[in-house]
Amino acid sequence: QVQVVESGGGLVQAGGSLRLSCTGSGYPFDDHAMAWYRQSPGKEREGVACTDWNGSRTFTIDSVKGRFTISRDNAKKTLYLEMNNLKPEDTAMYYCAADLRRASGGSWCLGEYHYWGQGTQVTVSS
């Protein structure tokens, strides 16, 4: 049974930091690209960052570049999103995704993912 589980969300003041984690099981974790997405109420889901199978190649969207860092530890079967200098507009439910089926949206590693977690809420107060 495939499981993708996010953790690490919470409430933080603007300028603060959080580290999200995502563990995957039931599938070959280190065979696949992975990504972080986010969605806030009334908005479409947005790809935030993604990585290839071993973390050697990554992509982040412009609005978080320099503040967010994606990484992975395949030995621990865990994907991370280090978020610094958080802003109120970063408030959203953050989702982990694994096994890219088709890239789209102008990025080589954002697109249609096969496995999704339930999400972890990040709230940034001003």
Side-chain angles (χ1 to χ4, degrees):
Q1 181 182 358
V2 173
Q3 285 192 314
V4 178
V5 181
E6 304 93 337
S7 62
L11 174 63
V12 64
Q13 288 188 332
S17 299
L18 284 173
R19 187 175 81 157
L20 305 184
S21 299
C22 168
T23 58
S25 61
Y27 69 97
F29 183 89
D30 53 3
D31 277 359
H32 299 293
M34 296 187 72
W36 287 100
Y37 283 75
R38 66 185 180 185
Q39 188 170 22
S40 50
K43 294 186 178 181
E44 291 189 358
R45 187 174 61 193
E46 173 185 45
V48 175
C50 49
T51 175
D52 66 356
W53 69 277
N54 69 348
S56 62
R57 189 182 177 200
T58 64
F59 172 85
T60 53
I61 59 174
D62 286 345
S63 60
V64 306
K65 197 165 293 184
R67 300 189 297 121
F68 290 13
T69 303
I70 187 171
S71 63
R72 64 191 294 165
D73 184 336
N74 285 346
K76 296 182 179 180
K77 296 186 177 182
T78 302
L79 177 75
Y80 301 101
L81 186 67
E82 186 75 37
M83 306 186 295
N84 298 312
N85 191 22
L86 282 160
K87 303 177 180 181
E89 52 263 41
D90 295 318
T91 294
M93 186 71 80
Y94 283 71
Y95 298 92
C96 174
D99 188 8
L100 179 66
R101 294 302 173 93
R102 187 170 70 93
S104 62
S107 168
W108 60 272
C109 60
L110 293 177
E112 297 177 9
Y113 275 84
H114 189 49
Y115 303 124
W116 291 85
Q118 294 300 306
T120 185
Q121 178 68 38
V122 172
T123 303
V124 184
S125 63
S126 57

